[in-house]
Amino acid sequence: MQFSERKNTTRWFIIFASFLIISLILWNTYTFFQIFKNEERLKMNLWAKAQKTLINAGENTDVELPLQIFSNNTSIPIILTENDSIINTVNIDEVIVKDNAKAVAFLSDLKKENDPIVIEYAPEKFQNLYYGNSALLNKLKYYPVALLLIIVLFSGLVYYFYRSTKNATQNKLWAGMAKETAHQIGTPLSSLIGWVEILKSENVDESTTIEIEKDIDRLQTITDRFSKIGSEPILEKKDIVEETLQSYNYLQSRFSKQIEFTFEGPKSPIYVMLNPTLHSWTIENLVKNAIDAMKGRGKLAIKIEPDHDTVKISVTDSGNGIQKSQFKSVFEPGFTTKKRGWGLGLSLTKRIVEEYHKGKIKVLNSEIGKGTTMQISLQKSKIV
């Protein structure tokens, strides 16, 4: 508990320190921007004084310094006006200067960037100096935006890494719990097998022991499923029709007679590389999900159809149906429409089909109030 609290404190300290550093960087950038902007304002004031000196220059006036001030400005755009007419431009594209409409529009932009400098070169005679930000200042203006974008991307990367690490840890935990569950079930299961043998020796009705053995086989299958979580399953060349039919027959015998089961498939075998234990889990999850959607009463059909290089298995129910916007969401971990349940069934099914058997699963079609069809597509075996 103390370790967890220290970990949270450290995490919040790092977040606060990062926020503080970012704030300082942005503040320093803003301060530097203002200083640089003020320096450009001082340069323009010198340019205005140089302009006034040239206008009033006589034969004995030293104009070397004003001319040097003019020549040193190579980056700040300037428009000089008098009586609302443009009389001079500096560092502005010739295309803009020659087009009066563009020049007026450019002047309007300069007026928004900085306040003009008024040059009174003679009593009651004025010129207005309008100037814009230099290219360097404009780049500096967007620097905080670029910095924030980098920070957001970096934060997203850290968050993704954190989530991936957390999910990986959770997956290891769930896999460990599943294997431990399989191990724990194994002990009473072995005992049950022994009790069945005793019942047989006591001449108990054979039909009773047969049904008990079926359930014991099912428990062994479930134990095998849990033991395979987190491990790479071994795929075998199996007849998909026979394997699906076995799961169908078991489920049909265990559910209410209010469910009308039907099975349709080809008479000839269709071979697929699969893990029988995990495939039976897939069919069971789809069937149970369909029965839940029908609230224990309705029609459920399983259909197997060969299609070129693939074989398609469809599970159709007459339940409530799924909204089209939820077709992909139903396979996400935690998604459920039931009051109880963790929403892991279809997520596990998708993982078994797509990651282990290299197939595809999707909601083929669904209509609210009429039912849903889920479809699995698997590659036919090319191994002779």
Side-chain angles (χ1 to χ4, degrees):
M1 183 69 179
Q2 291 179 350
F3 174 76
S4 178
E5 288 177 356
R6 285 200 301 269
K7 190 175 180 181
N8 286 331
T9 302
T10 303
R11 185 181 300 162
W12 281 110
F13 175 77
I14 292 172
I15 292 172
F16 176 76
S18 301
F19 179 78
L20 183 62
I21 292 169
I22 292 166
S23 299
L24 288 173
I25 292 173
L26 292 176
W27 173 253
N28 285 332
T29 303
Y30 174 77
T31 303
F32 182 68
F33 178 83
Q34 292 301 321
I35 292 171
F36 203 77
K37 193 174 180 69
N38 289 334
E39 286 184 354
E40 289 196 349
R41 181 78 178 183
L42 290 174
K43 288 180 182 179
M44 289 300 96
N45 280 321
L46 289 175
W47 201 96
K49 289 179 181 179
Q51 173 70 6
K52 182 178 180 179
T53 300
L54 281 180
I55 293 173
N56 297 316
E59 291 181 0
N60 298 321
T61 304
D62 184 5
V63 295
E64 184 178 350
L65 181 59
L67 291 174
Q68 188 174 352
I69 291 172
F70 289 160
S71 63
N72 284 339
N73 176 33
T74 58
S75 60
I76 302 174
I78 295 173
I79 291 181
L80 198 63
T81 66
E82 187 172 355
N83 298 326
D84 296 328
S85 298
I86 298 174
I87 59 174
N88 191 16
T89 60
V90 179
N91 297 326
I92 297 174
D93 196 328
E94 285 294 325
V95 176
I96 296 174
V97 174
K98 292 179 180 179
D99 189 322
N100 187 58
K102 289 182 179 179
V104 171
F106 192 82
L107 176 61
S108 178
D109 292 337
L110 294 185
K111 289 179 179 179
K112 294 175 184 176
E113 288 188 27
N114 297 288
D115 294 329
I117 296 174
V118 179
I119 305 171
E120 187 176 6
Y121 64 91
E124 302 300 323
K125 290 187 177 181
F126 301 94
Q127 290 181 352
N128 290 321
L129 187 155
Y130 296 96
Y131 70 98
N133 297 327
S134 65
L136 181 60
L137 194 61
N138 282 328
K139 289 179 181 178
L140 189 63
K141 182 169 61 177
Y142 294 111
Y143 175 75
V145 178
L147 182 64
L148 283 174
L149 183 61
I150 292 170
I151 291 168
V152 169
L153 292 174
F154 180 74
S155 300
L157 184 63
V158 171
Y159 176 76
Y160 176 77
F161 176 77
Y162 170 75
R163 289 292 298 176
S164 299
T165 304
K166 187 176 180 181
N167 288 337
T169 303
Q170 287 179 343
N171 286 338
K172 288 181 180 179
L173 177 63
W174 284 114
M177 288 179 65
K179 290 179 183 293
E180 180 61 22
T181 301
H183 177 72
Q184 294 293 335
I185 292 174
T187 303
L189 191 56
S190 299
S191 179
L192 285 173
I193 293 171
W195 282 108
V196 170
E197 293 302 319
I198 292 173
L199 289 174
K200 286 181 179 179
S201 66
E202 295 292 336
N203 296 320
V204 175
D205 183 21
E206 187 178 356
S207 62
T208 302
T209 57
I210 288 173
E211 289 303 316
I212 294 174
E213 284 180 328
K214 285 182 180 179
D215 286 330
I216 289 175
D217 288 341
R218 195 64 181 175
L219 283 172
Q220 287 178 324
T221 300
I222 292 170
T223 304
D224 193 26
R225 289 174 184 172
F226 279 106
S227 67
K228 282 181 168 60
I229 291 178
S231 304
E232 192 67 29
I234 298 173
L235 303 182
E236 306 172 46
K237 184 180 177 181
K238 293 288 184 179
D239 177 12
I240 192 71
V241 180
E242 179 62 27
E243 294 296 329
T244 306
L245 188 58
Q246 286 180 12
S247 297
Y248 168 83
N249 289 333
Y250 177 83
L251 293 168
Q252 184 185 25
S253 65
R254 290 301 185 271
F255 282 104
S256 168
K257 300 301 180 183
Q258 292 181 326
I259 302 293
E260 184 182 331
F261 283 84
T262 57
F263 181 89
E264 183 182 344
K267 301 298 181 182
S268 56
I270 301 175
Y271 292 103
V272 172
M273 295 301 296
L274 55 78
N275 183 282
T277 303
L278 294 182
H279 177 68
S280 67
W281 199 356
T282 299
I283 299 302
E284 184 177 321
N285 280 339
L286 291 179
V287 168
K288 286 183 176 179
N289 192 70
I291 291 172
D292 287 339
M294 296 187 293
K295 297 180 180 179
R297 178 182 297 178
K299 296 181 179 180
L300 190 146
I302 297 180
K303 185 177 182 180
I304 301 178
E305 297 177 287
D307 181 26
H308 301 295
D309 295 333
T310 63
V311 56
K312 300 184 185 301
I313 306 170
S314 302
V315 178
T316 304
D317 64 65
S318 58
N320 294 328
I322 305 169
Q323 294 181 2
K324 194 170 183 179
S325 59
Q326 296 179 330
F327 277 15
K328 292 184 178 179
S329 303
V330 294
F331 297 107
E332 294 177 1
F335 180 90
T336 180
T337 56
K338 296 180 289 186
K339 292 182 180 179
R340 294 183 180 180
W342 289 8
L344 295 176
L346 289 179
S347 175
L348 279 170
T349 302
K350 182 179 175 68
R351 184 170 183 176
I352 291 169
V353 172
E354 296 189 352
E355 292 188 23
Y356 294 152
H357 292 141
K358 309 304 178 186
K360 294 181 181 179
I361 184 170
K362 64 180 179 180
V363 180
L364 183 62
N365 56 64
S366 184
E367 192 172 344
I368 301 298
K370 292 188 177 182
T372 302
T373 298
M374 309 287 285
Q375 187 183 79
I376 299 170
S377 298
L378 298 172
Q379 289 289 327
K380 292 180 184 176
S381 175
K382 295 180 181 179
I383 300 176
V384 180

